[in-house]
């Protein structure tokens, strides 16, 4: 599947990114060698997904170091990268991870960024195994119908995936009957990216509108929902792509598990609750396409929502599973 596709890769003179804006029609790469180009790529969602952004931010520090020797200009460039998308905590965490190596030069930063990439791939494999074990222990050892929202696969990480990593692990065990992939408005990461990954992996799937998700769950057509996360507060509140909260509410009403799969780096212990998570507002034009609304209409376009901890059955990280709704939160586990 996407083991043979690298979402983020250092080429020796710059960063090579899969251009996720042209998927699924074309698999193309964007070579980035300047901070301006990197910030633009992050903003346009050429690269997206919290773990992938963390790795990208780490390599971005090396680009900034190679671009200028002036300390003030370098610091300003790094700050621009760090703030390019405010909700996904991994972007800032990736930058901060390599900053202590900046005084030793770009090569030292690159080595640490590569170490972060390798850790992400190993961690995603562990997330897949922990998540599959937890789900099967509660749903029975049988083929499952899984609902997922947005894209938390290899394209959102350095490899394998978080939420889709769990799905892929279940598939390798012969325990996937069907995956319902929410299309995910307004940029369709579910239908463009998740469906692309599932198809390449040979995993059976159906794309559905976001508005159909709650009905699918309440009709008893799904056994579990598994999503990723962009930031998780200390109390377990989870910020993810807009529409995730509706999935969680439907799971609670139907009595099925709502599982969040994300690396520990997505946890922000400085945010006591989800109220402290900044919610990115994107351009109104993304949902006001010609013919879709009256001329002069305005739009409210939040990119993320926050699911309260009480609705999160389990948080699966590379270190294990926290049953958030039972009061086992990131804050209490550390």
């Amino acid at each position: 599947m996407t083991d043979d596709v690298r979402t983020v890769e250092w080429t020796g003179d710059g960063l090579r990114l899969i251009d996720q804006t042209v998927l699924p029609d074309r698999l193309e790469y964007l070579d980035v060698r300047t901070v301006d180009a990197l910030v633009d790529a992050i903003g346009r969602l050429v690269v997206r997904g919290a773990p992938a952004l963390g790795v990208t931010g780490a390599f971005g520090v090396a680009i900034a170091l190679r671009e200028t020797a002036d300390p003030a200009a370098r610091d300003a460039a790094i700050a621009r990268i760090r703030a390019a998308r405010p909700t996904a905590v991994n972007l800032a965490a990736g930058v901060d991870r390599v900053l202590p190596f900046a005084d030793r030069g770009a090569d030292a930063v690159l080595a640490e960024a590569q170490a972060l990439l390798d850790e992400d791939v190993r961690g995603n494999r562990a997330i897949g195994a922990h998540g599959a074990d937890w789900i099967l222990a509660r749903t029975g050892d049988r083929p499952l119908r899984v609902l997922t929202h947005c894209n938390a696969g290899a394209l959102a990480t350095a490899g394998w995936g978080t939420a889709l990593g769990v799905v892929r692990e279940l598939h390798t065990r012969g325990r996937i009957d069907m995956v319902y992939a929410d299309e995910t408005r307004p940029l369709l990461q579910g239908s463009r990216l998740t469906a692309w990954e599932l198809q390449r992996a040979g995993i059976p799937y159906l794309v559905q509108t976001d508005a159909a998700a709650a009905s699918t769950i309440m009709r008893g057509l799904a056994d579990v929902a598994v999503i990723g996360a962009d930031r998780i507060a200390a109390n377990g509140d989870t910020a993810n792509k807009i529409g995730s909260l509706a999935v969680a509410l439907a799971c609670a009403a139907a009595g099925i598990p709502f599982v969040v799969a994300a690396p520990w780096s997505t946890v922000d212990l400085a945010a006591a609750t989800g109220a402290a998570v900044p919610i990115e507002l994107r351009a109104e034009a993304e949902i006001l396409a010609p013919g879709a609304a009256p001329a002069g209409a305005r739009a409210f376009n939040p990119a993320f929502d926050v699911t309260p901890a009480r609705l999160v059955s389990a948080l699966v990280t590379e270190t294990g599973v926290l049953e958030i709704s039972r009061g086992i939160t990131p804050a209490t586990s550390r």
Side-chain angles (χ1 to χ4, degrees):
M1 186 207 162
T2 42
D3 287 336
D4 61 344
V5 176
R6 295 184 179 273
T7 306
V8 180
E9 182 179 21
W10 186 259
T11 64
D13 65 349
L15 196 57
R16 177 164 292 166
L17 306 172
I18 291 180
D19 186 348
Q20 299 188 35
T21 67
V22 299
L23 285 170
D25 295 334
R26 304 187 305 279
L27 176 58
E28 295 181 357
Y29 295 84
L30 179 69
D31 288 319
V32 174
R33 298 182 180 86
T34 69
V35 170
D36 283 347
L38 182 58
V39 171
D40 176 70
I42 293 171
R44 290 193 298 113
L45 305 186
V46 168
V47 60
R48 29 101 12 231
L53 287 172
V55 174
T56 299
F59 280 113
V61 174
I63 291 175
L65 291 177
R66 291 160 67 102
E67 194 171 78
T68 179
D70 177 72
R74 178 200 68 188
D75 291 347
I78 292 171
R80 287 178 60 210
I81 296 168
R82 193 179 187 278
R85 291 202 72 191
T87 302
V89 69
N90 294 63
L91 177 58
V95 170
D96 294 345
R97 162 82 176 257
V98 301
L99 274 180
F101 298 84
D103 290 340
R104 292 160 52 185
D107 287 346
V109 168
L110 287 171
E112 189 64 14
Q114 184 62 46
L116 176 60
L117 185 156
D118 295 338
E119 288 172 17
D120 186 59
V121 176
R122 290 194 301 270
N124 290 342
R125 293 278 188 169
I127 287 170
H130 291 315
D133 289 344
W134 188 90
I135 290 168
L136 290 174
R138 284 151 185 82
T139 59
D141 191 10
R142 58 186 173 87
L144 300 173
R145 301 159 301 169
V146 180
L147 185 144
T148 191
H149 189 76
C150 196
N151 173 262
L155 290 171
T157 67
W160 189 249
T162 53
L164 278 194
V166 175
V167 172
R168 293 175 70 181
E169 177 65 25
L170 288 168
H171 177 63
T172 64
R173 301 185 191 185
R175 296 298 180 267
I176 289 291
D177 176 46
M178 180 61 66
V179 176
Y180 291 94
D182 292 355
E183 62 179 351
T184 317
R185 295 283 177 159
L187 297 180
L188 306 180
Q189 289 98 318
S191 57
R192 291 193 304 106
L193 307 179
T194 295
W196 184 79
E197 292 198 40
L198 292 169
Q199 189 170 66
R200 289 172 63 90
I203 299 174
Y205 71 92
L206 294 168
V207 173
Q208 66 179 3
T209 65
D210 293 359
S215 175
T216 297
I217 293 167
M218 293 300 293
R219 290 174 62 194
L221 299 178
D223 301 301
V224 61
V226 186
I227 69 164
D230 286 85
R231 189 183 300 227
I232 300 164
N235 74 331
D237 289 351
T238 297
N240 194 54
K241 193 71 177 70
I242 191 74
S244 300
L245 173 56
V247 172
L249 288 166
C251 286
I256 68 169
F258 178 80
V259 177
V260 176
W264 187 262
S265 58
T266 307
V267 173
D268 182 5
L269 292 175
T273 70
V277 177
I279 300 299
E280 176 186 354
L281 288 177
R282 295 191 61 81
E284 295 180 36
E286 287 181 347
I287 54 177
L288 293 178
R298 299 295 306 278
F300 178 56
N301 188 18
F304 303 92
D305 56 26
V306 175
T307 297
R310 69 179 184 276
L311 300 177
V312 179
S313 306
L315 167 60
V316 184
T317 76
E318 65 273 32
T319 61
V321 181
L322 303 180
E323 295 187 350
I324 300 294
S325 60
R326 296 179 58 192
I328 307 172
T329 69
T332 61
S333 66
R334 284 294 173 104

